[in-house]
Amino acid sequence: MAEFLSLHDAVARYVTDGATVAMEGFTHLIPFAAGHEVIRQKKRDLTLIRMTPDLIYDQMIGAGCASKLIFSWGGNPGVGSLHRLRDAVEKGWPHQIEILEHSHAAMANAFEAGASGLPLAVLRGYIGSDLPKVNDQIKFIECPFTGERLAAVPAIRPDVSIVHAQKADRNGNVLVKGIIGVQKEAVLAATHSIVTVEEIVDELDVHANACVIPGWVISAVVEAPAGAKPSYTHGYYSRSNKFYKDWDAIARDREAFTAWLDEHVFAAGQDNGDTA
């Protein structure tokens, strides 16, 4: 059953050095506040999982939190590269990071398999792709019923998954609405989970086409207003396109990045990052 904790206490309890951590959210609901708390607590040797690592993982990698990244696309949406990720992979700064690349479809299926308690995901894909040459976790199997050649990948089972959402009620049930990615699957697949929300309410006021994650599968709920900025939260605030553009210049330079981190993460408590 979900426990209501501060962001500091939730991260301190559930994100341990060496853990496998998934932080999901598609286009909006990206858990920046939680990622900044991981940086402030100087967590190390994390395996980070995310279908579309963008600015928050660029920041965490640049801060030295990660030793491995499992992903299916990495970039600054609409702008360009993740320069802290590239610096770590290409030049080993602040230290070398291992990468394991999948397709979107494979990762979505792997999260679904993890949420279902299965050891692997099976999909039609990777036929003719070069990814199996660089990712030894992509295997091929024969369907025992049709003889069809199918791809198989390990299920994703994080030690902890972290997502952001609009609301939680006082029983810990969480409402996710708008564009929904694999937040539900990430929570269900994980050993522990932290959900940050814009507000805690008496009633969720659930409507059609919304997703509710039940409190009994969540470890910790954290009230974190503006917890997704500079991405957006549907119904609460818009995306800061300016910050995403400004990040390109900040992240290109190690000294500029370190100065930004000192001012806007370490010195700013639970700053939401929308400061450029």
Side-chain angles (χ1 to χ4, degrees):
M1 183 63 67
E3 183 178 2
F4 292 91
L5 297 174
S6 68
L7 185 55
H8 174 277
D9 290 352
V11 169
R13 181 180 301 181
Y14 293 113
V15 182
T16 59
D17 288 351
T20 298
V21 181
M23 299 177 68
E24 285 295 344
F26 184 70
T27 304
H28 73 144
L29 299 176
I30 298 171
F32 274 89
H36 290 170
E37 185 59 33
V38 171
I39 292 172
R40 279 192 292 271
Q41 294 190 23
K42 298 184 178 179
K43 302 297 184 179
R44 292 292 181 264
D45 196 30
L46 302 179
T47 294
L48 297 179
I49 303 173
R50 181 170 165 77
M51 287 184 66
T52 55
D54 52 11
L55 271 57
I56 187 56
Y57 273 17
D58 208 31
Q59 293 166 10
M60 293 172 69
I61 289 166
C65 298
S67 60
K68 184 176 182 179
L69 175 66
I70 301 173
F71 71 111
S72 54
W73 176 89
N76 183 341
V79 180
S81 291
L82 295 177
H83 299 294
R84 292 300 93 222
L85 170 59
R86 289 192 63 166
D87 204 7
V89 172
E90 296 173 0
K91 300 179 181 178
W93 192 93
H95 53 71
Q96 200 67 43
I97 183 171
E98 179 186 354
I99 59 172
L100 194 65
E101 185 177 359
H102 278 289
S103 68
H104 282 341
M107 288 199 67
N109 277 274
F111 271 117
E112 183 75 32
S116 302
L118 297 172
L120 80 165
V122 178
L123 66 149
R124 289 188 175 96
Y126 289 130
I127 305 297
S129 169
D130 283 336
L131 277 176
K133 298 177 183 177
V134 296
N135 183 343
D136 62 6
Q137 291 192 359
I138 300 169
K139 306 295 184 182
F140 291 94
I141 61 175
E142 181 180 295
C143 173
F145 303 106
T146 66
E148 182 180 2
R149 190 170 187 247
L150 300 169
V153 295
I156 293 176
R157 299 297 303 270
D159 295 318
V160 57
S161 288
I162 303 174
V163 301
H164 187 71
Q166 279 89 354
K167 301 177 182 179
D169 67 20
R170 303 194 187 280
N171 292 318
N173 303 304
V174 167
L175 173 65
V176 185
K177 61 181 180 179
I179 299 173
I180 298 174
V182 293
Q183 292 99 315
K184 176 186 68 176
E185 289 81 3
V187 168
L188 291 173
T191 303
H192 299 290
S193 58
I194 300 169
V195 181
T196 59
V197 295
E198 293 294 325
E199 59 178 330
I200 297 170
V201 297
D202 292 327
E203 299 288 340
L204 289 182
D205 189 28
V206 178
H207 53 79
N209 203 34
C211 172
V212 175
I213 304 175
W216 55 267
V217 301
I218 299 169
S219 304
V221 170
V222 175
E223 188 171 28
K229 284 190 173 183
S231 75
Y232 74 98
T233 292
H234 175 72
Y236 286 81
Y237 46 84
S238 60
R239 182 183 191 264
S240 175
N241 292 323
K242 180 181 185 300
F243 183 82
Y244 281 78
K245 292 177 181 177
D246 290 346
W247 183 253
D248 187 72
I250 295 168
R252 280 179 184 273
D253 182 78
R254 293 176 184 176
E255 291 186 3
F257 166 73
T258 301
W260 180 89
L261 207 64
D262 287 342
E263 180 179 357
H264 298 299
V265 177
F266 288 115
Q270 294 181 12
D271 182 75
N272 59 33
D274 192 3
T275 50

